[in-house]
Amino acid sequence: MSDHKDPQSPLPSPVFPQQKQWDFRKREGIYESDTTALIRRLLEEDTISEDQRRAWERWRNDPEALK
């Protein structure tokens, strides 16, 4: 078997313990929902941000997604 990996094959997504608690704070001075604040906080995590970037690139470059 070859050690060569297909660049289009997805890498495993990051896995965090079930009891992981994400601390987040809403921005002051503007309206921000809890959901938006949590997502903003999640994207500050390098592994999540990279995973989402790869997923976006796969989706954007997938000709089947356009059908």
Side-chain angles (χ1 to χ4, degrees):
M1 188 182 256
S2 172
D3 286 338
H4 176 70
K5 292 187 178 186
D6 179 4
Q8 293 297 317
S9 68
L11 296 174
S13 294
V15 177
F16 297 95
Q18 186 174 6
Q19 65 274 15
K20 171 79 172 151
Q21 296 291 314
W22 296 96
D23 60 329
F24 64 92
R25 292 191 187 114
K26 293 182 181 182
R27 296 180 203 179
E28 293 186 24
I30 63 168
Y31 172 78
E32 184 174 50
S33 69
D34 288 345
T35 303
T36 302
L38 176 60
I39 291 170
R40 185 174 41 78
R41 172 63 182 99
L42 292 174
L43 290 175
E44 291 171 359
E45 182 79 34
D46 289 339
T47 55
I48 294 173
S49 183
E50 179 64 20
D51 179 62
Q52 292 302 300
R53 186 194 62 76
R54 285 192 316 261
W56 167 251
E57 289 297 323
R58 277 194 313 274
W59 178 83
R60 193 175 68 124
N61 294 312
D62 182 8
E64 293 297 313
L66 300 175
K67 293 181 179 178

